[in-house]
């Protein structure tokens, strides 16, 4: 046109800019811009042309030029405002977008149904629900609510702010819902962890005849993966195939993520192989999937193939590799990953730094972890929490507390994870009072304890012999409206087992039943253990029989229950059933069986079992196994065979084995052996009062009273005292504790009178009641 001397007006240049915008041809658009400037102010200072240039640079995401041209506009109209607010949203400048939305109104230009969605998007990104509701009010006032595009943006905003009820109200009010509206609602449910509702919404969408897009299926697969819903996820994959939705990077990654999370890693590999163009995200999903299932070698092979595909590792790839190093305690692999980070300037990435710290901590090199932590300049809350957790796990409570206060001095406010780590550190170190004080401080600081906080406290109290406090905290957890998880229930049941609190154990059993979580293998195993230790073996058997698909831990719990109750034959029969079902036993299984044989003095069965373990199962005996067999032989008086077995052991016998032999010498005239064992035992554990008591009892059994006096004097010189026996009984809601030699109970007179009557009755029925000094345990 120019060669023919035809006039080229602003409209033509506007069309040219639009064509460049459609193709995102930035360089060509800049050439058009230059031609406009050359044509003088009548072109470049034209309102239409100025607006077109702002729109072009804004939609090409050239932020600096777009903003400069916008500020130079003589007339800022609705189109230029829409362009610049949209630019701010896409670039992540959400606050600037909202300021622009307000400034636009102040300038007398009313935002339309194209601008309002950008303002809502900014509110969602900032989680500013108050401002979002204000924009919602503006939408209603201006009559834009009927626009499906605006309504979908409202659903998205409420979803991102976590207000799902309002999101659903807006969605239900949309008369002509398109696939975008459905997708937005489904995505909102998935983002807020309400996966079941997302799946229901997907099915409702299908019923209404709306064809799903890649976004729909990807969200549906994410919900299925989160719930472990295998059949639903497979249906989603089938819908994608039948609907002709090509395996692009987004859909392909969602399918890989689903199969990885439900444990079908081979299927994930098949899908991965069919994706034509793979990006780093796709590779990372499969690498992390292999690592999650312990297939570190495959993950490393995938990393090599990824580099051959000319893709570089990003922070997610390295985090996965460092996680594998941590899980396998492979410090050499971890160091290689650390070296790669340094060579590629990734060590300053806080995600990578946190993974490196975690890796070194789990490889038991807390000193290296501390060096990496100290060298990281911009520490975020995640990195602080990683270092806190590393110290808490090894019981470094003082260091964890120091970090907790240091982070606050550096203007990083602790969150619930930070508090949890400090509480865990105290409990790991046995500092129960400090942990409870920290818990109270947490609540007074307006930080609400979450399920992990409560579970940590319950578990820690149970492990620190504060069983009744653990049970009390479990009750407080429910009063606070926190639903216990599997670990908190298991910890509470463990506390009940420790003090034989049958009443509380049954209450927890009832809770698990009412909330449909009884089938958890951890809970059923704990229930079997609890009932057995509370003396109700029939109830333990009932729980065991109730489970159809029994696992090894459940079998182990029942075998140990039989052993505890002296029912060795039942334990051996259960072992046969375990083998028939093709379940491979482990060390715990054999320890329980050998212990059962020991309690019942089944020598032949115990020896056969031990030989079966070594020759048929090819298991290497542990110290516990040797201890059970040696204890069995010595209790039956076969000291020669017991000594012969000790001499064949690959390792030296520990104090427990020698102690059991010494205790057996009390019932048999084995004076020389007793002297030999006592000499070695006192060398192994010179400060264990139990060894001196066993030695004293052995001397007393053989009538060597001078030796008894000598041992007792030796204990006094060393300041050692026998730990008194203790037992308890719960009557109603009151616990009665009895310690050997303690006469402080208010009804001690009645108790001794009753004992005397029982003694008289037993004497007349042909039994002799033996009272040791004052070491009578009441139960």
């Amino acid at each position: 046109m120019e060669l023919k001397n035809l006039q080229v007006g602003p409209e033509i240049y506007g069309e040219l800019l639009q064509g460049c915008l459609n193709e995102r041809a930035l360089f060509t658009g800049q050439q058009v811009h230059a031609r406009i400037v050359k044509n003088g102010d009548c072109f470049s200072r034209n309102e239409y042309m100025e607006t077109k240039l702002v729109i072009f640079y804004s939609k090409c995401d050239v932020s600096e030029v777009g903003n400069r041209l916008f500020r130079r506009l003589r007339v800022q109209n609705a189109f230029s405002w829409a362009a610049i607010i949209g630019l701010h949203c896409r670039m992540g400048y959400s606050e600037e977008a909202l300021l622009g939305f307000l400034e636009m109104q102040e300038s007398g230009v009313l935002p339309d149904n194209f601008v309002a969605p950008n303002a809502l998007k900014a509110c969602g990104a900032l989680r500013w629900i108050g401002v979002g509701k204000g924009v919602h009010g503006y939408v209603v006032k201006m009559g834009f609510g009927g626009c499906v595009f605006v309504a979908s943006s409202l659903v998205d905003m409420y979803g991102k702010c976590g207000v799902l009820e309002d999101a659903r109200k807006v969605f239900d009010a949309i008369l002509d819902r398109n696939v975008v509206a459905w997708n937005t609602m489904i995505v909102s449910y998935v983002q807020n962890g309400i996966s079941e509702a997302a799946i229901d919404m997907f099915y409702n969408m299908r019923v209404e005849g709306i064809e799903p897009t890649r976004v729909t299926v990807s969200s549906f697969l994410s919900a299925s993966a989160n719930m472990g819903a295998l059949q639903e996820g497979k249906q989603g994959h089938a819908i994608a195939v039948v609907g002709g939705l090509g395996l692009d990077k987004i859909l392909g990654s969602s399918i890989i993520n689903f199969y990885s999370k439900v444990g079908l890693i081979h299927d994930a590999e098949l899908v991965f192989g069919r994706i034509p163009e793979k990006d780093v995200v796709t590779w990372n999903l499969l690498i992390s999937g292999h690592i999650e299932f312990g297939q570190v070698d495959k993950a490393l092979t995938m990393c090599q193939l990824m580099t051959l595909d000319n893709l570089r590792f990003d922070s997610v790839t390295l985090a996965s590799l460092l996680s594998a190093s941590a899980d396998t305690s492979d410090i050499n692999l971890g160091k290689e990953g650390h070296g790669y980070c340094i060579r590629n300037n990734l060590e300053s990435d806080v995600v990578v730094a946190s993974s490196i710290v975690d890796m070194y901590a789990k490889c038991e090199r807390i000193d290296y972890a501390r060096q990496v932590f100290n060298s990281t300049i911009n520490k975020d809350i995640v990195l602080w929490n990683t270092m806190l957790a590393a110290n808490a796990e090894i019981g470094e409570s003082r260091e964890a507390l120091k970090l907790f206060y240091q982070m606050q001095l550096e203007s990083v406010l602790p969150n619930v994870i930070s508090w949890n780590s400090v509480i865990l550190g105290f409990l790991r170190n046995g500092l129960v009072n400090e942990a409870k004080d920290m818990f109270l401080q947490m609540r007074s600081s307006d930080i609400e304890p979450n399920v992990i906080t409560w579970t940590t406290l319950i578990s820690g109290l149970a492990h620190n012999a504060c069983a009744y406090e653990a049970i009390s905290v479990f009750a407080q957890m429910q009063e606070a409206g926190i639903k216990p998880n599997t670990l908190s229930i298991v910890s509470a049941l463990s506390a009940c087992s420790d003090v034989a609190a049958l009443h509380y154990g049954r209450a927890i059993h009832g809770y698990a039943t009412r909330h449909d979580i009884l089938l958890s293998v951890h809970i059923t195993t704990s229930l079997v253990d609890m009932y057995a230790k509370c003396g109700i073996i029939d109830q333990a058997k009932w729980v065991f029989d109730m489970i159809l698909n029994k696992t090894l831990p459940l079998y182990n719990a029942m075998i140990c229950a039989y052993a505890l109750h002296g029912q060795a034959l039942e334990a051996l029969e259960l072992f046969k059933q375990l083998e028939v079902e093709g379940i491979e036993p482990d060390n715990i299984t054999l320890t329980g069986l050998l212990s059962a044989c020991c309690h019942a003095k089944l020598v032949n069965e115990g020896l056969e079992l031990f030989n079966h373990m070594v020759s048929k199962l090819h298991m290497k005996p542990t110290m516990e196994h040797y201890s059970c067999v040696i204890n069995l032989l010595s209790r039956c008086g076969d000291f020669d065979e017991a000594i012969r077995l000790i001499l064949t052991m690959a390792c030296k016998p520990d104090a427990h084995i020698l102690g059991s032999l010494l205790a057996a010498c009390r019932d048999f005239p084995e004076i020389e052996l007793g002297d030999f064992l006592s000499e070695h035992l006192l060398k192994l554990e010179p400060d264990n009062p139990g060894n001196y008591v066993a030695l004293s009892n052995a001397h007393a059994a053989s009538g060597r009273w001078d030796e008894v006096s000598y041992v007792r004097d030796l204990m006094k010189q060393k300041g050692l005292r026998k730990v008194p026996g203790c037992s308890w009984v719960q009557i109603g809601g009151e616990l009665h504790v009895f310690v050997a030699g303690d006469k402080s109970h208010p009804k001690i007179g009645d108790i001794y009178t009753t004992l005397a009557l029982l003694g008289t009755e037993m004497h007349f029925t042909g039994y002799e009641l033996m009272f040791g000094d004052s070491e009578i345990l009441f139960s």
Side-chain angles (χ1 to χ4, degrees), residues 85-115:
I85 292 172
L87 170 65
H88 289 319
C89 268
R90 286 191 303 277
M91 301 300 290
Y93 306 142
S94 300
E95 292 186 35
E96 287 83 349
L98 289 173
L99 287 171
F101 180 76
L102 296 174
E103 190 179 341
M104 179 180 181
Q105 295 175 69
E106 289 173 359
S107 68
V109 182
L110 294 177
D112 58 12
N113 57 333
F114 293 101
V115 177

Side-chain angles (χ1 to χ4, degrees), residues 417-593:
I417 300 172
S418 319
W419 287 88
N420 289 350
S421 292
V422 178
I423 292 170
L424 175 64
F426 282 131
L427 291 169
R428 285 281 170 88
N429 215 25
L431 302 173
V432 174
N433 291 331
E434 288 81 353
K436 291 191 291 185
D437 288 342
M438 205 70 188
F439 180 76
L440 294 175
Q441 287 182 43
M442 177 183 183
R443 301 191 79 175
S444 62
S445 301
D446 294 329
I447 302 291
E448 279 302 315
N450 60 12
V451 66
I452 297 174
T453 319
W454 289 98
T455 302
T456 300
L457 190 58
I458 294 166
S459 177
L461 289 169
H463 280 93
N464 283 284
C466 301
Y468 280 99
E469 284 190 78
I471 297 168
S472 174
V473 170
F474 181 78
Q476 294 171 33
M477 176 183 184
Q478 295 169 73
E479 291 171 3
I482 303 296
K483 183 179 179 180
N485 59 14
T486 298
L487 183 55
S488 32
I489 293 173
V490 167
S491 299
L493 286 170
S494 172
C496 295
S497 300
D498 291 341
V499 292
L502 179 61
H503 174 72
Y504 293 117
R506 279 179 167 159
I508 296 169
H509 185 179
Y511 176 90
T513 304
R514 290 192 303 275
H515 291 81
D516 298 323
I517 47 180
L518 185 58
L519 295 180
S520 164
V521 63
H522 300 291
I523 293 176
T524 50
T525 302
S526 298
L527 282 170
V528 169
D529 180 67
M530 183 273 296
Y531 280 121
K533 289 180 178 175
C534 289
I536 315 295
I537 189 67
D538 291 340
Q539 191 72 17
K541 183 69 166 58
W542 180 84
V543 173
F544 177 81
D545 291 338
M546 184 183 62
I547 306 303
L548 298 178
N549 298 317
K550 298 177 177 64
T551 59
L552 180 61
L554 187 58
Y555 270 105
N556 286 346
M558 196 65 227
I559 287 171
C560 292
Y562 280 136
L564 183 66
H565 285 257
Q567 298 182 10
L569 296 178
E570 287 83 350
L572 292 171
E573 189 62 33
L574 194 58
F575 177 62
K576 291 178 183 177
Q577 181 183 329
L578 180 149
E579 292 194 310
V580 168
E581 292 191 13
I583 299 176
E584 187 175 346
D586 62 5
N587 287 333
I588 298 174
T589 320
L590 274 299
T591 301
L593 290 165

Side-chain angles (χ1 to χ4, degrees), residues 48-66:
Y48 168 76
M49 192 54 61
E50 285 181 325
T51 301
K52 274 290 184 182
L53 285 167
V54 169
I55 293 172
F56 168 73
Y57 282 109
S58 295
K59 291 195 174 180
C60 286
D61 293 338
V62 185
S63 178
E64 185 179 349
V65 178

